[in-house]
Amino acid sequence: MPSLESEIEGIIETFTNNLKQRKFKGSRDLALNSVQLWKKIIGQMKWQNARELMDKIKEIGKDFQETSPSETVIGNMTRRMLKIVRDEYAMLQKGKQEDSDLQESLQKILTADEVDVDYSKNIPLLKPAIMEHIGEFLTELESSEIDISAQALEHIHANEIIMTIGYSKTVFAFLKTAAKDRAFQVIVAECAPFYHGHKLAADLAEAQISTTLIPDSAIFAMMARVNKVIIGTHSVMANGGLKAVCGTHTLALAAKHYSVPFVVCAPMFKLCPEYVCSLDQDGFNQFASPEEVLSNDEGMLVSRVNVYNPIFDYVPPELVTLFISNTGGNAPSYIYRLLSELYHSLDVQL
Amino acid sequence: METGKKVQSEGSEKTKQEIMAERKAKKAEKAAKKSQPIKTTEHGAVTILSESIQTNTVKADETGKSKADLKAERRQKQEAQRAAKAASVTEGKQSVAPKVQQGKRIPDQIQADRPSVEKRLVKRYVSQKVPQLPPAERKVQLFSHLQQQERTLELLTKDLAVNQSKIHPAVIKLGLQYASGIICGSNARAVALLEAFKRVISDYSTPEQKELSRDLEVSLKPCINFLKQCRPISVSMGNVIRFLKRHITNIPSESTDVQAKKCLHEEIEKYIHENVELAGKTICEEASKKISSGDVILTYGYSSLLLQILLKAFNEDNKKFRVIVLDSSPRSEGLQFLRRLVAFKIPSVYMLISGASYVMPEVNKVFLGAHALLANGNVMSRVGSSQVALVAKAHNVPVLVCCETHKFCDRVQTDSFVFNELGNPDDLVAAVKGKPSVHSIANWRELPKLSLLNLTYDVMPGDLVTAVITELGSVPCTSVPVVLRVKHAETVQLTSP
């Protein structure tokens, strides 16, 4: 037993170190790795009943959250695990069918006071059920990009001009799939100061899609000719707002001005049950080195000027037209409902 | 009538008489080589009829009598057309409204996709011996109506003979300064142009049998076309050229060269003094009133006028405010603006344009400069300004545009595509040169599907702007045509005989 515990601690520590050193390339990578980690932990850890398991998950999840507070995907996966445990317990406990479960959750939304289910019963079938469910979840995660790309032809038509910003793997896969059957043009905003747009433009051009690379300042000027804006995002907040790369708010405002549909491609693991207030940028925003903006070569200026380099932008839900996720298209006003299916309200505060 | 036609054009149109005149001049040169007697004619006092007869007879002499009948028919047709035009123009001249109403010509700069227009331009440049830049290999399809050229600046002066007399050396220097971006900015370009023209005028001498008021304009044409090749002319420069042409044609024919030059010099200095210097001072007074202590002011890019305003408010009026300077690649003009602010110890913040939404909640006012104000109330400014105005509007922050009236133009534009300038696409690559983390697209020409776009200007819709501060006061964007009308009425009064 001690060796099992230390083994679990070992893999948790490796994961935490990788988190700190930012070894994960993108949200999907992080999501897959964290779910695989949870699978190992839940599989190997000793727990008697659901209550004990959930407390342990919360404890470990809180540590992860504190290691990397801006990576919302970790918190999402933790909450997902908790929801899986609760669902499996409830199903085995009451032995009811799935649709009555849905009815129960709807009742829970409508009624103010929560009926606290007692999770302390020891059900021997719980562990294999949970492991199976996590396995299904993992397959869903792995195929999330393909599921989103499969919807590309519904949204992109011939001879359209599409605008995007920065580099998003989801959007790249989306556009590549559509380009197999339809001819269209893409305008990529380079997204200073990290200039990820350059990579996307090069990749799209190699995939034989007509691409034009523009600096960020030309977004409003070019919007007059754009038919659709398709972007990826870092996370989707509980009200349908976006936490996306800096410059996305300007893009959304320009799209609104010209009444251009603003489409966000985001797999379900990016959906976060937290809210963000745009006035409290210090709470949700992160800052990168000001050297990217004003290089240290300008010594005379750097010492006398404040330079900011925010990474994220908050985009309010009124500016978003459509969310495309692996389960289909949704309006921003529907996000609250999706949240209740993914996460339990008691788990929002880890 | 000839005056009217010349004023109407934007410096690139040739009337039938001028084409004929030039052809005549060429043939005269040829004839001189063959040592035949030349029939030179005066441009000014001669009636159109006699001119046409002369040209046609010279042609007939050289090309053979068999074409004389065709020539006579053509001459009759031309005379009839000219008579009709004369009637319509004299009618048009009676109205106070500008010549614009007589069938406005679409400028050549936005017809780069029409081969007939291109051919005509090329012929003109060749005849005036103006060097041309080659067209771009990879054109952006959305802007196929605009000139897109490979910006290898050496080609501008490579084929210019050392002793060619068409383009004045001051103009060559100016053109290269424009092309390399040394002189940048609406005001700077207009003033530099006027200074160069002063040199051209003082070095000019009227040839025998010609009038200064006609010939000076003709000799300025190759200079202007050369400057156009170096860099498309700005609205302020266009207004300067029109102003100069108007004054040149209004020089009385009895005045001597010295008198005429003195008069032109005075007019040029008056233009600079009134429209740039005094106007700048008035705008500073007005705008400084709008700034209060404790304000946070946002600016974008570089504007010489804005710099004057902020310095005046900070130093003379002793207002304590902070400035946030937004900037964008590839030009990084905001950096130049920042340098000057820091030199005068104004507390500043520097960010990229993508951070506009981050910083806008704490901004009190947005001040923007303008390249030109269009007649439909839109503001043409450096690319990115309209974005800043849009974000400001979303956060309910007032946007004030500062612009002198010499930058007002009677063009109308609804978006940034119709009329724009495309800069060097390689600048986008150069801006990220030192950064190892950025995927390099230095080989973008090898990817046939990739094009880079470097826009220079964009058009801000008038409803995003709270007020425009001019030397005539703070006006809403919709007052631009009123100001234009008032200005034109003044110039018509001044120049009418």
Side-chain angles (χ1 to χ4, degrees):
Chain A
M1 255 205 284
S3 62
L4 254 171
E5 288 287 326
S6 55
E7 201 183 310
I8 292 172
E9 273 174 37
I11 49 178
I12 291 178
E13 206 177 303
T14 334
F15 183 78
T16 322
N17 283 337
N18 286 339
L19 249 188
K20 283 186 197 163
Q21 293 163 17
R22 297 177 194 235
K23 287 217 175 128
F24 297 110
K25 299 191 189 75
S27 319
R28 189 160 162 268
D29 199 25
L30 180 59
L32 280 171
N33 275 298
S34 56
V35 175
Q36 278 157 359
L37 178 74
W38 281 120
K39 196 171 178 187
K40 276 192 210 144
I41 294 176
I42 296 175
Q44 290 176 8
M45 206 164 58
K46 286 264 180 229
W47 41 276
Q48 300 296 337
N49 51 33
R51 169 61 62 198
E52 201 184 314
L53 175 61
M54 291 201 306
D55 288 339
K56 283 209 176 128
I57 292 177
K58 273 195 182 169
E59 201 185 303
I60 300 173
K62 239 190 211 158
D63 285 337
F64 288 158
Q65 189 101 334
E66 272 162 34
T67 316
S68 188
S70 74
E71 290 294 349
T72 47
V73 173
I74 301 174
N76 297 347
M77 293 302 102
T78 315
R79 294 184 188 99
R80 227 30 198 102
M81 294 299 119
L82 290 167
K83 178 83 164 122
I84 287 174
V85 170
R86 282 181 204 263
D87 281 348
E88 290 299 328
Y89 182 87
M91 218 148 70
L92 288 172
Q93 168 92 321
K94 286 156 192 177
K96 283 185 189 161
Q97 301 302 313
E98 260 194 48
D99 35 42
S100 50
D101 264 348
L102 281 172
Q103 204 177 41
E104 226 180 324
S105 65
L106 186 61
Q107 265 187 343
K108 277 194 184 136
I109 290 173
L110 292 174
T111 58
D113 45 341
E114 293 272 334
V115 178
D116 204 5
V117 182
D118 177 25
Y119 288 98
S120 46
K121 245 199 196 164
N122 186 353
I123 305 175
L125 289 171
L126 187 58
K127 189 159 178 179
I130 291 179
M131 298 310 287
E132 196 190 318
H133 200 149
I134 295 182
E136 284 170 10
F137 183 53
L138 256 180
T139 8
E140 190 192 311
L141 270 185
E142 279 161 6
S143 64
S144 58
E145 202 171 271
I146 300 171
D147 289 337
I148 292 180
S149 307
Q151 302 170 53
L153 283 177
E154 281 176 29
H155 300 282
I156 300 180
H157 307 111
N159 297 324
E160 277 197 327
I161 299 184
I162 294 176
M163 189 182 273
T164 184
I165 188 171
Y167 188 92
S168 165
K169 295 193 202 77
T170 322
V171 171
F172 179 50
F174 193 81
L175 293 174
K176 234 170 96 169
T177 317
K180 288 191 195 132
D181 297 306
R182 302 234 164 105
F184 54 91
Q185 292 183 50
V186 180
I187 300 179
V188 181
E190 62 182 9
C191 193
F194 306 106
Y195 299 102
H196 292 313
H198 286 219
K199 183 163 194 306
L200 182 65
D203 288 346
L204 285 173
E206 275 167 24
Q208 305 304 316
I209 301 176
S210 304
T211 316
T212 308
L213 180 67
I214 60 167
D216 292 341
S217 40
I219 287 176
F220 188 79
M222 299 301 284
M223 191 60 74
R225 291 287 180 276
V226 172
N227 296 113
K228 273 193 184 77
V229 176
I230 301 181
I231 58 162
T233 177
H234 177 268
S235 24
V236 180
M237 313 316 289
N239 61 346
L242 302 179
K243 182 173 162 185
V245 74
C246 200
T248 314
H249 190 209
T250 312
L251 185 63
L253 284 171
K256 187 84 186 196
H257 187 270
Y258 284 101
S259 298
V260 172
F262 192 81
V263 175
V264 179
C265 291
M268 291 307 264
F269 63 81
K270 287 192 179 171
L271 199 56
C272 178
E274 289 172 343
Y275 289 88
V276 140
C277 178
S278 68
L279 296 174
D280 179 26
Q281 293 258 352
D282 295 331
F284 87 93
N285 215 334
Q286 253 197 322
F287 295 86
S289 162
E291 193 181 352
E292 311 275 345
V293 174
L294 185 61
S295 115
N296 287 330
D297 295 339
E298 308 275 351
M300 289 300 289
L301 292 177
V302 168
S303 53
R304 300 202 219 160
V305 171
N306 289 338
V307 180
Y308 298 103
N309 188 4
I311 299 184
F312 296 119
D313 234 355
Y314 171 68
V315 180
E318 302 84 54
L319 299 176
V320 179
T321 315
L322 186 68
F323 282 102
I324 298 180
S325 68
N326 38 327
T327 50
N330 301 303
S333 48
Y334 188 65
I335 295 294
Y336 82 95
R337 194 72 184 92
L338 291 173
L339 278 177
S340 69
E341 284 170 23
L342 291 179
Y343 314 117
H344 196 273
S345 51
L346 289 175
D347 298 331
V348 174
Q349 276 295 95
L350 276 178
Chain B
M1 193 196 319
E2 287 157 9
T3 318
K5 280 202 178 135
K6 279 173 189 165
V7 170
Q8 176 187 6
S9 70
E10 285 200 342
S12 56
E13 157 85 290
K14 275 194 180 175
T15 59
K16 285 210 175 95
Q17 293 91 317
E18 295 189 79
I19 299 173
M20 303 288 249
E22 236 171 74
R23 265 191 229 157
K24 220 194 311 168
K26 260 195 240 169
K27 289 202 169 103
E29 282 171 38
K30 263 196 202 164
K33 282 184 197 163
K34 295 180 186 169
S35 64
Q36 278 176 13
I38 314 158
K39 286 181 194 154
T40 54
T41 53
E42 291 180 13
H43 289 236
V46 171
T47 63
I48 311 131
L49 220 57
S50 56
E51 244 183 48
S52 66
I53 295 170
Q54 208 120 33
T55 328
N56 283 332
T57 47
V58 170
K59 263 195 192 154
D61 281 339
E62 292 194 6
T63 55
K65 297 269 163 130
S66 54
K67 294 193 179 171
D69 294 331
L70 289 167
K71 300 283 188 209
E73 275 176 34
R74 235 188 281 163
R75 194 204 318 156
Q76 276 170 12
K77 242 197 279 179
Q78 280 171 359
E79 283 168 35
Q81 280 175 7
R82 264 183 222 127
K85 253 194 186 168
S88 68
V89 170
T90 45
E91 278 169 22
K93 209 177 177 183
Q94 283 163 15
S95 64
V96 182
K99 307 282 182 275
V100 170
Q101 290 180 351
Q102 286 175 23
K104 193 167 179 192
R105 251 192 102 254
I106 302 174
D108 288 334
Q109 299 99 293
I110 58 168
Q111 295 191 71
D113 53 352
R114 286 183 65 195
S116 54
V117 173
E118 284 296 284
K119 255 198 313 194
R120 181 161 45 90
L121 272 179
V122 168
K123 246 172 68 177
R124 189 183 308 152
Y125 287 155
V126 166
S127 71
Q128 293 178 350
K129 297 203 181 52
V130 172
Q132 289 178 66
L133 289 175
E137 289 168 16
R138 184 86 52 85
K139 296 199 180 186
V140 180
Q141 281 306 104
L142 284 169
F143 289 94
S144 56
H145 61 287
L146 296 176
Q147 292 280 354
Q148 296 182 47
Q149 294 161 322
E150 292 290 343
R151 304 211 60 83
T152 39
L153 302 179
E154 306 81 52
L155 291 175
L156 282 168
T157 45
K158 203 174 74 156
D159 294 323
L160 271 181
V162 173
N163 55 352
Q164 55 84 32
S165 57
K166 293 253 181 186
I167 307 174
H168 192 279
V171 172
I172 298 178
K173 178 177 166 193
L174 185 67
L176 290 173
Q177 282 173 329
Y178 283 160
S180 48
I182 296 174
I183 295 187
C184 188
S186 216
N187 274 334
R189 286 167 78 185
V191 171
L193 183 66
L194 282 168
E195 298 290 333
F197 275 169
K198 263 198 335 205
R199 297 271 304 275
V200 175
I201 290 171
S202 49
D203 289 344
Y204 170 80
S205 51
T206 326
E208 291 279 320
Q209 308 289 337
K210 291 194 184 169
E211 264 199 30
L212 184 139
S213 58
R214 304 265 176 257
D215 191 62
L216 179 56
E217 254 195 78
V218 172
S219 70
L220 282 180
K221 277 192 203 295
C223 298
I224 295 171
N225 284 330
F226 176 74
L227 291 176
K228 277 187 192 171
Q229 277 292 301
C230 293
R231 194 181 159 185
I233 58 173
S234 66
V235 167
S236 55
M237 285 167 69
N239 288 343
V240 156
I241 292 171
R242 232 171 308 183
F243 149 82
L244 202 59
K245 285 197 171 163
R246 201 171 50 238
H247 280 276
I248 290 174
T249 49
N250 284 333
I251 289 175
S253 40
E254 324 75 59
S255 58
T256 60
D257 261 11
V258 175
Q259 280 176 339
K261 286 185 193 181
K262 185 159 161 275
C263 171
L264 285 174
H265 276 226
E266 275 173 12
E267 286 295 331
I268 288 177
E269 266 156 39
K270 193 169 134 202
Y271 187 91
I272 297 179
H273 183 66
E274 273 179 20
N275 285 316
V276 180
E277 290 169 18
L278 283 183
K281 286 210 183 88
T282 321
I283 294 177
C284 284
E285 286 283 338
E286 181 80 34
S288 186
K289 285 186 212 146
K290 307 260 187 281
I291 303 177
S292 3
S293 281
D295 266 354
V296 178
I297 294 179
L298 183 84
T299 65
Y300 172 70
Y302 188 100
S303 168
S304 49
L305 185 57
L306 274 186
L307 192 62
Q308 270 184 290
I309 294 172
L310 292 176
L311 290 178
K312 177 177 189 295
F314 194 75
N315 292 328
E316 287 174 39
D317 301 342
N318 288 319
K319 307 209 172 167
K320 304 274 171 280
F321 55 88
R322 281 199 296 138
V323 179
I324 301 180
V325 180
L326 289 184
D327 199 11
S328 75
S329 75
R331 278 177 193 87
S332 297
E333 289 174 336
L335 198 54
Q336 311 302 325
F337 196 71
L338 183 71
R339 267 189 244 274
R340 286 159 177 80
L341 287 180
V342 167
F344 283 95
K345 300 189 175 32
I346 300 180
S348 324
V349 170
Y350 180 74
M351 287 184 71
L352 292 180
I353 195 176
S354 42
S357 322
Y358 169 76
V359 89
M360 200 58 76
E362 56 177 272
V363 173
N364 292 115
K365 293 168 186 105
V366 175
F367 276 85
L368 294 172
H371 169 87
L373 249 69
L374 305 171
N376 59 345
N378 290 355
V379 178
M380 187 164 169
S381 181
R382 181 63 83 219
V383 66
S385 317
S386 51
Q387 251 167 260
V388 173
L390 184 69
V391 178
K393 180 127 197 245
H395 290 87
N396 286 320
V397 176
V399 175
L400 298 165
V401 173
C402 304
C403 185
E404 300 96 330
T405 51
H406 76 94
K407 294 185 203 165
F408 285 26
C409 80
D410 52 13
R411 204 167 65 207
V412 286
Q413 252 183 271
T414 47
D415 60 26
S416 321
F417 283 78
V418 174
F419 209 111
N420 212 320
E421 185 187 326
L422 294 181
N424 191 355
D426 289 313
D427 288 346
L428 286 178
V429 180
V432 295
K433 209 164 165 190
K435 303 190 189 221
S437 56
V438 179
H439 178 96
S440 169
I441 49 165
N443 62 340
W444 66 276
R445 286 168 208 266
E446 292 161 26
L447 295 165
K449 291 284 185 176
L450 180 62
S451 33
L452 304 185
L453 183 59
N454 185 1
L455 277 183
T456 311
Y457 301 116
D458 73 10
V459 172
M460 198 188 303
D463 52 354
L464 295 179
V465 178
T466 316
V468 178
I469 304 179
T470 68
E471 68 264 27
L472 302 173
S474 298
V475 295
C477 263
T478 46
S479 301
V480 172
V482 176
V483 170
L484 278 172
R485 198 186 182 86
V486 164
K487 275 188 95 170
H488 194 84
E490 283 174 6
T491 51
V492 165
Q493 273 175 15
L494 285 171
T495 58
S496 59

